[in-house]
Amino acid sequence: MSVFYDKFQRHSEGVGLKGNSTHYCPGCGHGLAHKYLAEAIAELGIQDNTVLVSPVGCSVFAYYYFDVGNTQAAHGRAAAVALGHKLSNPEANVISYQGDGDLASIGLAETVSAAQLGAPITVIFINNAIYGMTGGQMAPTSLMGQSTATSPDGRSMFNGQPMRMAELIAGLDGPVYVERVALFDAKNRRLAKKAIKKAVQCQVEGRGYAFIEVLAECPTHLKLSPEETEKWVKEQMVPVFPLGVKKDLAVDPWWKRPSPDFEPAHMLKAAGASSDAASRYCEAFPTHLNPLDISLKLAGSGGDGAQTAAMLIARAAINEGFDATHIPSYGPESRGGTSYADVHVAKDEVLNPASPHPDVLIAFNAPSLAKFGPTVVKGGTIVYDSSIVKDVPEGIDPSVKVVGAPFTEIAVDLGKAVVKNIVALGALQAATGLFPKETILAAVRQALKDKCALIPLNEEAFAWGVKAVEEGRK
Amino acid sequence: MAQLKERPKPFLLPDYCKGCGRCISACAKGCITFDKEIDAATGYVPVVIDLETCNACGLCMDACPEPYGLRETPVDVDFELQDPAKLFGGKTTSAPEPVEIPNTLIPLPRTEPLVIKGNYASAIGALLAGCRHVFGYPITPSTEGAELMAKLLPKLDGTFLQAVSEVAAVNHMYGSGGAGYPCMTFTSSPGFSLMLEGVSYMIGAEVPGVFVNIMRGGPGLGNIAPEQSDVKLACRGLGHGNTHAITLMPSTPQEMLDLTMLAFELTFKYRSPVILLGDGYLGQMTGKVMLPDAMIKPGIPKWAVNGDANHRGNLISSIYLSEHDLEQHNIYLNDKYRQMAENESRCETFMADDAEILIIATNTPARASKGAVQDLRQQGVKAGLFRPITVWPFPVKQLAAILPHVKQMVVVEASNGQLEDEIRLALSNAGVTTLPAITNVRHFGGMLPQQTEVLAHVKAILAKEAR
Ligand code: SF4
Ligand code: SF4
């Protein structure tokens, strides 16, 4: 059985002669490449499992002819479409059929990256050294001196030199098989047929990416007879685009992709979800800090752990059944050594997650205290690292409670400077009574559930933070 | 060696010969020559074959570019019959009528709330909606979504591919979505611009796919801080042609999950891409996120090009060569847009029932505005919030219904009026011509309007009125 449709229904509704003729010009190489590809698909017995990606160019209508799954792609994107299909549907044999403008000009990035990725797709590249569909303009593969609609005086150095795609692709690590073939005589047609079949077979066997460049005839735009065009390809093109195998690796079949997993337990595990309810320790919302929505800011430099501490506060609040949000500063700002976090803890719903005027500020260093201290609301609280900040700056409202605790010193004494953010949380708890101690400790334990060995150290850090504030240690 | 089986000799129906002559030079025996006259049906001079000296080498058939040109002499064919429909049969394909494999809903146990970033919530929403194929190009501030996918998808036997560019990413989606799989990308404004060509193709070819665009400051490279200035792109500029796509604007991490799941439902329901626009803050914001009570195992739609026998007859393409066909296709798409407008316009209102001052905002600015409304109500001001959840289709019916008692509309957005333009256009198209006064609170360049600014703006309006 032929892999061509019995009747080309998509070609002018299959009416009349078009029902069984291609739209290609007389003598065009596309028809031959189509025939050899169709034969390969038939001989390999993969008609039902083949998807052909048609490009933009003269072969835009390849889907008129091949009785396989068909997708028509945007100009230059056929390889990307083919790859997207192959990765989603690994069992399908996906063939990207493209011309020179499509593959070697507008789609060069997609072509090269798909080749280097090496997933087993088959790319059939028709190089006829000219743009066909748009009417004879210069192609990336046009020859030096070749006169085209956009190089009327002949391609010159100013237009750049012809792209040797087979060599370029063969130079990449991804492809397993690359060959350049031609159609101008019986011997080369036989080789072309063999190469196309082999390229498809590479995919069927899951051995890898294969690329066949076919030097083809475009009599129309070369303004030559089909016979003269065959001669032109042989005499003019072949010296620039040498025929033959460019790469043929003996690679064992490797392409095997599992079917996607839809096991609910796996899904929940991936999402980090658990059905174990967190214990609650809070009796009521800490209205003494704000009746509905407590706004906090944590500010320090990169290694201070402000973001982690912010996250723990949000986690703790949510465990208690409140709403909470945390917004980090990010991007270059965060790379510049500063790290700010805005946290809200709301009784019902956080309305505005930013903290331009916090109820509570935790400052890990002097610049942070200087920058944000004055933004704290009247009657608010500031907790700062007294081992780093020596003088409390001006501009803080006198009604604000300012509490220092030696976060860093305590952490260093405990042997791990990184726990200073947990010391800070202890200090925060003691200074504000935001939540019961257990609420924050439970969140710390939850966060460290995969690193249990660190829990005692963190608990100790927290306790020292509390103690420092309670005892007024500076 | 003796030839056991006789090889077939060439055969040609002159109507299927284009007279290229490639077979002539292929024949070593010189059996093939041009005919004397032009074929009336084709306008070409076909070849004639003299089978006397033909040794059935087959080389001429290999040289003929036409599938139904020179071919092996068919057995059992009446040579007098030249009607191609009879000769080659009237049937175009033996592919079966494709069968739909429906989605399955898999119940999930109740779980405790997650505390995660908006970008993560969106990624988890996509996984719950059955997406196992994600294509992306790293771009701040949306990258965490892609990063989480790169981490989680291998655990669920899915695929994350870091594409060579956003142009490639959207075309990977065209391939994956066209094969019937739920797929998505995470991107941010400049990346979204690059994807628009592909979005137009997806709309034209009816390929589903979800685009999560965490908007950042522009134009150009701008910066990576939050903005909402891709509303115009999503509502009015989805590539070339008559395009539209449902555009969802979440305002909390929870909605990042919920609306991503909805986006997958809608993208398959309408066979058309769906866009989710978040501001940079929302993507980075950590909050409380509850998981739904069920997840989806996707089936395979009838129309998919799935690379199997069932779907062999399918085609994904946006080409309609005849003007008439393309007009019909556009009429069909327009009807789809109309159905989207009718069924999918969504909004949330907050204290809007009797509001005289109606604040309109989306994403994070909607949260700031909600806070402002609450403050204003406490001060006895009849303020309310109207939050479009779909900015296209714009929930204009819902807005028009509450307008009669509204004296002032305040549009709060991080763009130069892109949301306001949508509001005005939607109201105008809906025939609402008497509008309350419209003022705005706007920021660009990476800042979002704050609750305090909204409050101050409304108070200034009230003070002016009182004068
Ligand atoms: S223009 Fe050239 S490439 Fe295109 S169909 Fe005609 S001969 Fe073939
Ligand atoms: S190769 Fe085919 S189309 Fe060309 S002249 Fe011969 S039979 Fe006709």
Side-chain angles (χ1 to χ4, degrees), chain B residues 184-213:
Chain B
M184 74 169 310
T185 192
F186 282 94
T187 190
S188 178
S189 310
F192 190 57
S193 283
L194 268 179
M195 289 176 173
L196 293 176
E197 176 206 41
V199 173
S200 167
Y201 277 78
M202 287 172 79
I203 293 172
E206 302 194 79
V207 175
V210 171
F211 295 80
V212 175
N213 174 4

PDB file of all heavy atoms in Angstrom, chain B residues 184-213:
ATOM      1  N   MET B 184       2.584  23.714  28.482  1.00  0.00           N
ATOM      2  CA  MET B 184       2.603  25.105  28.920  1.00  0.00           C
ATOM      3  C   MET B 184       3.996  25.694  28.858  1.00  0.00           C
ATOM      4  O   MET B 184       4.979  24.994  28.635  1.00  0.00           O
ATOM      5  CB  MET B 184       2.103  25.209  30.358  1.00  0.00           C
ATOM      6  CG  MET B 184       3.122  24.706  31.350  1.00  0.00           C
ATOM      7  SD  MET B 184       2.745  25.081  33.073  1.00  0.00           S
ATOM      8  CE  MET B 184       2.394  26.814  33.039  1.00  0.00           C
ATOM      9  N   THR B 185       4.055  26.990  29.109  1.00  0.00           N
ATOM     10  CA  THR B 185       5.337  27.657  29.284  1.00  0.00           C
ATOM     11  C   THR B 185       5.217  28.704  30.375  1.00  0.00           C
ATOM     12  O   THR B 185       4.117  29.185  30.664  1.00  0.00           O
ATOM     13  CB  THR B 185       5.818  28.309  27.980  1.00  0.00           C
ATOM     14  OG1 THR B 185       7.179  28.696  28.134  1.00  0.00           O
ATOM     15  CG2 THR B 185       5.004  29.549  27.610  1.00  0.00           C
ATOM     16  N   PHE B 186       6.343  29.005  30.990  1.00  0.00           N
ATOM     17  CA  PHE B 186       6.437  30.158  31.878  1.00  0.00           C
ATOM     18  C   PHE B 186       7.276  31.193  31.155  1.00  0.00           C
ATOM     19  O   PHE B 186       8.343  30.865  30.629  1.00  0.00           O
ATOM     20  CB  PHE B 186       7.172  29.789  33.173  1.00  0.00           C
ATOM     21  CG  PHE B 186       6.321  29.039  34.141  1.00  0.00           C
ATOM     22  CD1 PHE B 186       6.323  27.658  34.161  1.00  0.00           C
ATOM     23  CD2 PHE B 186       5.507  29.722  35.031  1.00  0.00           C
ATOM     24  CE1 PHE B 186       5.525  26.958  35.063  1.00  0.00           C
ATOM     25  CE2 PHE B 186       4.709  29.029  35.929  1.00  0.00           C
ATOM     26  CZ  PHE B 186       4.730  27.646  35.945  1.00  0.00           C
ATOM     27  N   THR B 187       6.817  32.425  31.132  1.00  0.00           N
ATOM     28  CA  THR B 187       7.615  33.452  30.490  1.00  0.00           C
ATOM     29  C   THR B 187       7.364  34.788  31.162  1.00  0.00           C
ATOM     30  O   THR B 187       6.579  34.893  32.091  1.00  0.00           O
ATOM     31  CB  THR B 187       7.324  33.498  28.972  1.00  0.00           C
ATOM     32  OG1 THR B 187       8.290  34.344  28.357  1.00  0.00           O
ATOM     33  CG2 THR B 187       5.927  34.021  28.675  1.00  0.00           C
ATOM     34  N   SER B 188       8.089  35.791  30.697  1.00  0.00           N
ATOM     35  CA  SER B 188       7.855  37.149  31.160  1.00  0.00           C
ATOM     36  C   SER B 188       7.896  38.055  29.932  1.00  0.00           C
ATOM     37  O   SER B 188       8.379  37.661  28.882  1.00  0.00           O
ATOM     38  CB  SER B 188       8.910  37.545  32.193  1.00  0.00           C
ATOM     39  OG  SER B 188       8.671  38.874  32.588  1.00  0.00           O
ATOM     40  N   SER B 189       7.418  39.266  30.113  1.00  0.00           N
ATOM     41  CA  SER B 189       7.098  40.172  29.005  1.00  0.00           C
ATOM     42  C   SER B 189       7.941  40.078  27.728  1.00  0.00           C
ATOM     43  O   SER B 189       7.390  39.819  26.655  1.00  0.00           O
ATOM     44  CB  SER B 189       7.072  41.585  29.538  1.00  0.00           C
ATOM     45  OG  SER B 189       6.261  41.619  30.694  1.00  0.00           O
ATOM     46  N   PRO B 190       9.276  40.277  27.777  1.00  0.00           N
ATOM     47  CA  PRO B 190      10.019  40.237  26.506  1.00  0.00           C
ATOM     48  C   PRO B 190       9.908  38.858  25.837  1.00  0.00           C
ATOM     49  O   PRO B 190       9.835  38.761  24.612  1.00  0.00           O
ATOM     50  CB  PRO B 190      11.466  40.517  26.927  1.00  0.00           C
ATOM     51  CG  PRO B 190      11.378  41.176  28.263  1.00  0.00           C
ATOM     52  CD  PRO B 190      10.163  40.605  28.909  1.00  0.00           C
ATOM     53  N   GLY B 191       9.869  37.823  26.644  1.00  0.00           N
ATOM     54  CA  GLY B 191       9.719  36.475  26.108  1.00  0.00           C
ATOM     55  C   GLY B 191       8.355  36.288  25.485  1.00  0.00           C
ATOM     56  O   GLY B 191       8.208  35.638  24.438  1.00  0.00           O
ATOM     57  N   PHE B 192       7.350  36.866  26.118  1.00  0.00           N
ATOM     58  CA  PHE B 192       5.992  36.746  25.587  1.00  0.00           C
ATOM     59  C   PHE B 192       5.895  37.420  24.215  1.00  0.00           C
ATOM     60  O   PHE B 192       5.265  36.899  23.304  1.00  0.00           O
ATOM     61  CB  PHE B 192       4.999  37.357  26.579  1.00  0.00           C
ATOM     62  CG  PHE B 192       3.554  37.080  26.252  1.00  0.00           C
ATOM     63  CD1 PHE B 192       3.098  35.780  26.133  1.00  0.00           C
ATOM     64  CD2 PHE B 192       2.658  38.121  26.065  1.00  0.00           C
ATOM     65  CE1 PHE B 192       1.771  35.513  25.824  1.00  0.00           C
ATOM     66  CE2 PHE B 192       1.329  37.866  25.756  1.00  0.00           C
ATOM     67  CZ  PHE B 192       0.885  36.563  25.638  1.00  0.00           C
ATOM     68  N   SER B 193       6.549  38.587  24.097  1.00  0.00           N
ATOM     69  CA  SER B 193       6.579  39.258  22.788  1.00  0.00           C
ATOM     70  C   SER B 193       7.082  38.298  21.716  1.00  0.00           C
ATOM     71  O   SER B 193       6.523  38.218  20.626  1.00  0.00           O
ATOM     72  CB  SER B 193       7.537  40.454  22.821  1.00  0.00           C
ATOM     73  OG  SER B 193       6.962  41.530  23.481  1.00  0.00           O
ATOM     74  N   LEU B 194       8.142  37.576  22.041  1.00  0.00           N
ATOM     75  CA  LEU B 194       8.735  36.663  21.056  1.00  0.00           C
ATOM     76  C   LEU B 194       7.802  35.507  20.710  1.00  0.00           C
ATOM     77  O   LEU B 194       7.901  34.922  19.640  1.00  0.00           O
ATOM     78  CB  LEU B 194      10.038  36.085  21.610  1.00  0.00           C
ATOM     79  CG  LEU B 194      11.312  36.820  21.272  1.00  0.00           C
ATOM     80  CD1 LEU B 194      12.503  36.138  21.917  1.00  0.00           C
ATOM     81  CD2 LEU B 194      11.520  36.862  19.763  1.00  0.00           C
ATOM     82  N   MET B 195       6.938  35.156  21.625  1.00  0.00           N
ATOM     83  CA  MET B 195       6.080  33.985  21.406  1.00  0.00           C
ATOM     84  C   MET B 195       4.846  34.301  20.559  1.00  0.00           C
ATOM     85  O   MET B 195       4.119  33.388  20.161  1.00  0.00           O
ATOM     86  CB  MET B 195       5.598  33.438  22.749  1.00  0.00           C
ATOM     87  CG  MET B 195       6.706  32.777  23.531  1.00  0.00           C
ATOM     88  SD  MET B 195       6.096  32.257  25.131  1.00  0.00           S
ATOM     89  CE  MET B 195       7.539  31.354  25.710  1.00  0.00           C
ATOM     90  N   LEU B 196       4.610  35.582  20.310  1.00  0.00           N
ATOM     91  CA  LEU B 196       3.312  35.937  19.743  1.00  0.00           C
ATOM     92  C   LEU B 196       3.086  35.366  18.348  1.00  0.00           C
ATOM     93  O   LEU B 196       1.967  35.024  17.992  1.00  0.00           O
ATOM     94  CB  LEU B 196       3.138  37.457  19.736  1.00  0.00           C
ATOM     95  CG  LEU B 196       3.029  38.020  21.163  1.00  0.00           C
ATOM     96  CD1 LEU B 196       2.958  39.532  21.122  1.00  0.00           C
ATOM     97  CD2 LEU B 196       1.818  37.457  21.877  1.00  0.00           C
ATOM     98  N   GLU B 197       4.136  35.235  17.558  1.00  0.00           N
ATOM     99  CA  GLU B 197       3.972  34.615  16.242  1.00  0.00           C
ATOM    100  C   GLU B 197       3.332  33.225  16.420  1.00  0.00           C
ATOM    101  O   GLU B 197       2.339  32.892  15.789  1.00  0.00           O
ATOM    102  CB  GLU B 197       5.330  34.465  15.548  1.00  0.00           C
ATOM    103  CG  GLU B 197       5.226  33.737  14.230  1.00  0.00           C
ATOM    104  CD  GLU B 197       6.519  33.017  13.812  1.00  0.00           C
ATOM    105  OE1 GLU B 197       7.180  32.415  14.655  1.00  0.00           O
ATOM    106  OE2 GLU B 197       6.839  33.059  12.628  1.00  0.00           O
ATOM    107  N   GLY B 198       3.928  32.478  17.331  1.00  0.00           N
ATOM    108  CA  GLY B 198       3.444  31.125  17.581  1.00  0.00           C
ATOM    109  C   GLY B 198       2.022  31.110  18.116  1.00  0.00           C
ATOM    110  O   GLY B 198       1.236  30.218  17.785  1.00  0.00           O
ATOM    111  N   VAL B 199       1.694  32.096  18.950  1.00  0.00           N
ATOM    112  CA  VAL B 199       0.332  32.151  19.501  1.00  0.00           C
ATOM    113  C   VAL B 199      -0.674  32.327  18.367  1.00  0.00           C
ATOM    114  O   VAL B 199      -1.723  31.677  18.334  1.00  0.00           O
ATOM    115  CB  VAL B 199       0.210  33.279  20.548  1.00  0.00           C
ATOM    116  CG1 VAL B 199      -1.228  33.459  20.984  1.00  0.00           C
ATOM    117  CG2 VAL B 199       1.089  32.983  21.762  1.00  0.00           C
ATOM    118  N   SER B 200      -0.332  33.188  17.417  1.00  0.00           N
ATOM    119  CA  SER B 200      -1.225  33.382  16.273  1.00  0.00           C
ATOM    120  C   SER B 200      -1.425  32.061  15.515  1.00  0.00           C
ATOM    121  O   SER B 200      -2.549  31.714  15.144  1.00  0.00           O
ATOM    122  CB  SER B 200      -0.642  34.460  15.349  1.00  0.00           C
ATOM    123  OG  SER B 200      -1.301  34.456  14.114  1.00  0.00           O
ATOM    124  N   TYR B 201      -0.350  31.328  15.308  1.00  0.00           N
ATOM    125  CA  TYR B 201      -0.476  30.024  14.631  1.00  0.00           C
ATOM    126  C   TYR B 201      -1.323  29.065  15.448  1.00  0.00           C
ATOM    127  O   TYR B 201      -2.115  28.298  14.903  1.00  0.00           O
ATOM    128  CB  TYR B 201       0.913  29.407  14.397  1.00  0.00           C
ATOM    129  CG  TYR B 201       1.590  29.920  13.153  1.00  0.00           C
ATOM    130  CD1 TYR B 201       2.198  31.172  13.143  1.00  0.00           C
ATOM    131  CD2 TYR B 201       1.614  29.166  11.982  1.00  0.00           C
ATOM    132  CE1 TYR B 201       2.815  31.662  12.005  1.00  0.00           C
ATOM    133  CE2 TYR B 201       2.235  29.650  10.836  1.00  0.00           C
ATOM    134  CZ  TYR B 201       2.831  30.892  10.857  1.00  0.00           C
ATOM    135  OH  TYR B 201       3.439  31.367   9.725  1.00  0.00           O
ATOM    136  N   MET B 202      -1.135  29.086  16.771  1.00  0.00           N
ATOM    137  CA  MET B 202      -1.902  28.167  17.614  1.00  0.00           C
ATOM    138  C   MET B 202      -3.390  28.496  17.552  1.00  0.00           C
ATOM    139  O   MET B 202      -4.228  27.599  17.496  1.00  0.00           O
ATOM    140  CB  MET B 202      -1.400  28.218  19.063  1.00  0.00           C
ATOM    141  CG  MET B 202      -0.047  27.540  19.231  1.00  0.00           C
ATOM    142  SD  MET B 202       0.685  27.766  20.863  1.00  0.00           S
ATOM    143  CE  MET B 202      -0.229  26.573  21.831  1.00  0.00           C
ATOM    144  N   ILE B 203      -3.707  29.787  17.539  1.00  0.00           N
ATOM    145  CA  ILE B 203      -5.115  30.165  17.445  1.00  0.00           C
ATOM    146  C   ILE B 203      -5.662  29.725  16.093  1.00  0.00           C
ATOM    147  O   ILE B 203      -6.723  29.117  16.007  1.00  0.00           O
ATOM    148  CB  ILE B 203      -5.283  31.686  17.671  1.00  0.00           C
ATOM    149  CG1 ILE B 203      -4.922  32.039  19.114  1.00  0.00           C
ATOM    150  CG2 ILE B 203      -6.698  32.134  17.336  1.00  0.00           C
ATOM    151  CD1 ILE B 203      -4.864  33.530  19.412  1.00  0.00           C
ATOM    152  N   GLY B 204      -4.906  30.006  15.032  1.00  0.00           N
ATOM    153  CA  GLY B 204      -5.356  29.649  13.688  1.00  0.00           C
ATOM    154  C   GLY B 204      -5.522  28.152  13.508  1.00  0.00           C
ATOM    155  O   GLY B 204      -6.493  27.693  12.909  1.00  0.00           O
ATOM    156  N   ALA B 205      -4.572  27.395  14.038  1.00  0.00           N
ATOM    157  CA  ALA B 205      -4.604  25.946  13.853  1.00  0.00           C
ATOM    158  C   ALA B 205      -5.361  25.251  14.989  1.00  0.00           C
ATOM    159  O   ALA B 205      -5.435  24.027  15.018  1.00  0.00           O
ATOM    160  CB  ALA B 205      -3.178  25.397  13.758  1.00  0.00           C
ATOM    161  N   GLU B 206      -5.882  26.033  15.916  1.00  0.00           N
ATOM    162  CA  GLU B 206      -6.657  25.515  17.049  1.00  0.00           C
ATOM    163  C   GLU B 206      -5.852  24.544  17.909  1.00  0.00           C
ATOM    164  O   GLU B 206      -6.258  23.394  18.120  1.00  0.00           O
ATOM    165  CB  GLU B 206      -7.942  24.861  16.572  1.00  0.00           C
ATOM    166  CG  GLU B 206      -8.817  25.807  15.770  1.00  0.00           C
ATOM    167  CD  GLU B 206     -10.214  25.262  15.608  1.00  0.00           C
ATOM    168  OE1 GLU B 206     -11.008  25.365  16.570  1.00  0.00           O
ATOM    169  OE2 GLU B 206     -10.486  24.704  14.540  1.00  0.00           O
ATOM    170  N   VAL B 207      -4.716  25.007  18.358  1.00  0.00           N
ATOM    171  CA  VAL B 207      -3.851  24.184  19.205  1.00  0.00           C
ATOM    172  C   VAL B 207      -3.918  24.716  20.640  1.00  0.00           C
ATOM    173  O   VAL B 207      -3.700  25.904  20.864  1.00  0.00           O
ATOM    174  CB  VAL B 207      -2.393  24.225  18.697  1.00  0.00           C
ATOM    175  CG1 VAL B 207      -1.463  23.472  19.636  1.00  0.00           C
ATOM    176  CG2 VAL B 207      -2.314  23.650  17.284  1.00  0.00           C
ATOM    177  N   PRO B 208      -4.215  23.852  21.606  1.00  0.00           N
ATOM    178  CA  PRO B 208      -4.271  24.313  23.001  1.00  0.00           C
ATOM    179  C   PRO B 208      -2.878  24.483  23.611  1.00  0.00           C
ATOM    180  O   PRO B 208      -1.913  23.867  23.147  1.00  0.00           O
ATOM    181  CB  PRO B 208      -5.022  23.187  23.724  1.00  0.00           C
ATOM    182  CG  PRO B 208      -4.791  21.972  22.890  1.00  0.00           C
ATOM    183  CD  PRO B 208      -4.574  22.432  21.469  1.00  0.00           C
ATOM    184  N   GLY B 209      -2.803  25.307  24.630  1.00  0.00           N
ATOM    185  CA  GLY B 209      -1.535  25.521  25.331  1.00  0.00           C
ATOM    186  C   GLY B 209      -1.732  26.660  26.321  1.00  0.00           C
ATOM    187  O   GLY B 209      -2.543  27.550  26.080  1.00  0.00           O
ATOM    188  N   VAL B 210      -1.001  26.614  27.422  1.00  0.00           N
ATOM    189  CA  VAL B 210      -1.168  27.635  28.461  1.00  0.00           C
ATOM    190  C   VAL B 210       0.119  28.449  28.588  1.00  0.00           C
ATOM    191  O   VAL B 210       1.209  27.890  28.688  1.00  0.00           O
ATOM    192  CB  VAL B 210      -1.554  26.979  29.810  1.00  0.00           C
ATOM    193  CG1 VAL B 210      -1.516  27.994  30.942  1.00  0.00           C
ATOM    194  CG2 VAL B 210      -2.939  26.342  29.705  1.00  0.00           C
ATOM    195  N   PHE B 211      -0.039  29.761  28.569  1.00  0.00           N
ATOM    196  CA  PHE B 211       1.083  30.693  28.683  1.00  0.00           C
ATOM    197  C   PHE B 211       0.972  31.437  30.006  1.00  0.00           C
ATOM    198  O   PHE B 211       0.023  32.187  30.190  1.00  0.00           O
ATOM    199  CB  PHE B 211       1.057  31.711  27.536  1.00  0.00           C
ATOM    200  CG  PHE B 211       1.270  31.094  26.191  1.00  0.00           C
ATOM    201  CD1 PHE B 211       0.227  30.463  25.541  1.00  0.00           C
ATOM    202  CD2 PHE B 211       2.514  31.119  25.588  1.00  0.00           C
ATOM    203  CE1 PHE B 211       0.418  29.860  24.303  1.00  0.00           C
ATOM    204  CE2 PHE B 211       2.730  30.524  24.349  1.00  0.00           C
ATOM    205  CZ  PHE B 211       1.678  29.893  23.706  1.00  0.00           C
ATOM    206  N   VAL B 212       1.927  31.212  30.889  1.00  0.00           N
ATOM    207  CA  VAL B 212       1.947  31.977  32.131  1.00  0.00           C
ATOM    208  C   VAL B 212       2.972  33.089  31.942  1.00  0.00           C
ATOM    209  O   VAL B 212       4.165  32.828  31.804  1.00  0.00           O
ATOM    210  CB  VAL B 212       2.303  31.077  33.331  1.00  0.00           C
ATOM    211  CG1 VAL B 212       2.436  31.915  34.596  1.00  0.00           C
ATOM    212  CG2 VAL B 212       1.236  30.002  33.516  1.00  0.00           C
ATOM    213  N   ASN B 213       2.482  34.309  31.880  1.00  0.00           N
ATOM    214  CA  ASN B 213       3.343  35.469  31.651  1.00  0.00           C
ATOM    215  C   ASN B 213       3.388  36.303  32.924  1.00  0.00           C
ATOM    216  O   ASN B 213       2.418  36.937  33.296  1.00  0.00           O
ATOM    217  CB  ASN B 213       2.793  36.287  30.475  1.00  0.00           C
ATOM    218  CG  ASN B 213       3.551  37.595  30.260  1.00  0.00           C
ATOM    219  OD1 ASN B 213       4.538  37.886  30.934  1.00  0.00           O
ATOM    220  ND2 ASN B 213       3.081  38.409  29.330  1.00  0.00           N
TER     221      ASN B 213
END
